[in-house]
């Protein structure tokens, strides 16, 4: 099915995807966050420990399959409706799925790497830091509300996680996934009957991302500024991925064409006629 040049392009894409996700893998497995101190009178880090409303496992276990299912179903429907002549249909299915799913995974890896680089480099204390750290107060000099750097946490298992407040990984990942789908639907749903349905779906996707971010504030896992920056980061990466990596907004051709199309497998290569309908 694949020729030698196409295999080389696939290997290049795989190498790029690995490189983009490398910081995320390294930081999560080996790196410890920057050791930041605190002011004794800092009320912003004295909140209690609470369970996550939306855990890491729930967020990834729902959002990733949901995005992949929408993208895969969308690309299969797009290819089926495009009806391009003189082209192996199976090869076109594989090509479009490869580029759409590959673009999504590339952006997800870039988003997580950017998030973790910020988290581990800055080491901002979470709102529940003191409850998680449980420092030995008898050994800390808090006169005049001074800045404390030399202290030991009683609960070392939660200490590192409590230093990863800026910025919110939940917020950035949820906004990336939802905004990616919002723009994907904008590019693919072009029929007249979707003109109100499409923005309705997009609205609830956006609300989902915002809700995930708000739960991180109410759970005392992040400061509001962590969530705000996380949402901005996820949105930026989604826009970058859709417009600079994928080809969702490529100018479509007529539904039926007679010439042979070149269907390479590089993520940057544009495709044609890949829409659910037209705006006519």
């Amino acid at each position: 099915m694949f020729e030698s040049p196409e295999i080389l392009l696939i290997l290049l894409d795989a190498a790029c995807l690995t490189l983009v996700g490398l910081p995320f893998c390294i930081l999560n497995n080996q790196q410890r966050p920057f050791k930041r101190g605190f002011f004794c009178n800092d009320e912003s880090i004295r909140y209690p420990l609470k369970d996550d409303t939306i855990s890491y496992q729930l967020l990834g276990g729902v959002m990733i399959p949901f995005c992949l299912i929408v993208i895969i179903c969308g690309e299969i429907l797009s290819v089926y409706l495009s009806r391009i002549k003189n082209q192996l249909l199976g090869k076109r299915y594989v090509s479009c799925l490869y580029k759409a799913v590959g673009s999504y995974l590339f952006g997800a890896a870039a988003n997580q790497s950017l998030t973790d680089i910020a988290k581990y480099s800055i080491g901002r204390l979470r709102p529940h830091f003191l409850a998680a750290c449980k420092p030995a107060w008898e050994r800390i000099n808090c006169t005049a509300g001074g800045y404390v750097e030399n202290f030991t946490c009683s609960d070392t298992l939660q200490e590192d996680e409590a230093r990863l407040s800026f910025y919110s990984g939940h917020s950035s990942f949820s906004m990336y996934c939802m905004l990616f789908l919002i723009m994907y639907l904008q590019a693919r749903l072009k029929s007249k009957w979707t003109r109100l349905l499409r923005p309705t779906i997009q609205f609830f996707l956006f609300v989902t991302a915002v809700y995930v971010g708000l739960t991180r504030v109410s759970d005392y896992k992040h400061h509001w500024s962590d969530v705000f920056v996380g949402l901005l980061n996820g949105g930026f990466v989604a826009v970058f991925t859709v417009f600079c990596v994928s080809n969702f907004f490529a100018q479509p051709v007529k539904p039926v064409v007679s010439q042979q199309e070149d269907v390479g497998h590089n993520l940057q290569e544009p495709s044609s006629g890949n829409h659910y309908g037209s705006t006519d």
Side-chain angles (χ1 to χ4, degrees):
M1 175 182 259
F2 300 115
E3 299 176 357
S4 296
E6 294 172 344
I7 294 176
L8 291 177
L9 290 176
I10 292 173
L11 292 176
L12 177 61
D13 289 339
C16 292
L17 180 61
T18 302
L19 288 174
V20 168
L22 200 58
F24 168 72
C25 296
I26 293 176
L27 291 172
N28 271 272
N29 293 326
Q30 298 182 0
Q31 189 66 27
R32 300 193 68 185
F34 174 72
K35 296 291 185 180
R36 183 178 297 274
F38 63 90
F39 288 95
C40 291
N41 59 356
D42 187 357
E43 298 293 332
S44 68
I45 59 174
R46 292 178 175 271
Y47 290 90
L49 274 171
K50 288 183 62 178
D51 292 332
D52 293 319
T53 301
I54 300 175
S55 65
Y56 291 103
Q57 294 78 11
L58 179 62
L59 183 69
V62 172
M63 287 221 170
I64 294 176
F66 175 71
C67 291
L68 292 178
I69 290 172
V70 171
I71 294 170
I72 291 172
C73 293
E75 291 305 292
I76 291 175
L77 184 59
S78 296
V79 174
Y80 175 77
L81 295 178
S82 64
R83 296 185 180 89
I84 295 179
K85 292 182 177 179
N86 300 328
Q87 190 174 78
L88 293 176
L89 192 59
K91 189 174 183 181
R92 181 157 182 79
Y93 277 126
V94 172
S95 175
C96 290
L97 285 173
Y98 171 81
K99 286 182 282 190
V101 174
S103 297
Y104 168 76
L105 294 177
F106 180 89
N111 180 75
Q112 293 307 106
S113 289
L114 284 173
T115 301
D116 278 7
I117 288 172
K119 279 178 174 288
Y120 284 87
S121 299
I122 295 176
R124 187 180 188 183
L125 307 182
R126 294 185 186 271
H128 64 230
F129 175 76
L130 292 181
C133 171
K134 300 176 183 176
W137 290 105
E138 65 275 6
R139 302 179 183 177
I140 298 176
N141 183 11
C142 279
T143 57
Y147 184 68
V148 179
E149 288 185 289
N150 298 320
F151 64 93
T152 301
C153 289
S154 301
D155 192 343
T156 57
L157 294 177
Q158 298 192 73
E159 178 185 358
D160 286 347
E161 182 63 24
R163 294 179 180 273
L164 301 175
S165 187
F166 186 84
Y167 43 85
S168 170
H170 276 66
S171 301
S172 65
F173 184 71
S174 60
M175 180 56 77
Y176 166 75
C177 291
M178 296 298 98
L179 190 56
F180 185 94
L181 287 185
I182 287 172
M183 291 185 287
Y184 177 79
L185 294 177
Q186 186 68 30
R188 290 292 186 258
L189 287 176
K190 294 294 187 179
S191 298
K192 290 182 179 180
W193 59 270
T194 66
R195 287 182 178 174
L196 191 57
L197 176 63
R198 183 181 62 232
T200 301
I201 297 173
Q202 291 169 328
F203 168 75
F204 282 104
L205 291 174
F206 182 79
V207 167
T208 299
V210 174
Y211 172 73
V212 171
L214 294 178
T215 63
R216 303 306 288 170
V217 179
S218 61
D219 290 343
Y220 309 133
K221 304 297 182 181
H222 292 283
H223 309 276
W224 71 267
S225 54
D226 305 330
V227 170
F228 180 72
V229 176
L231 294 174
L232 288 181
N233 179 86
F236 168 78
V237 176
V239 172
F240 169 80
T241 303
V242 168
F243 288 98
C244 297
V245 180
S246 76
N247 55 346
F248 297 150
F249 288 95
Q251 183 66 34
V253 298
K254 297 296 182 181
V256 177
V257 294
S258 59
Q259 68 271 22
Q260 175 74 27
E261 284 196 341
D262 181 19
V263 189
H265 293 271
N266 190 283
L267 294 182
Q268 299 288 347
E269 187 172 340
S271 64
S272 302
N274 215 26
H275 301 79
Y276 296 166
S278 66
T279 54
D280 296 335

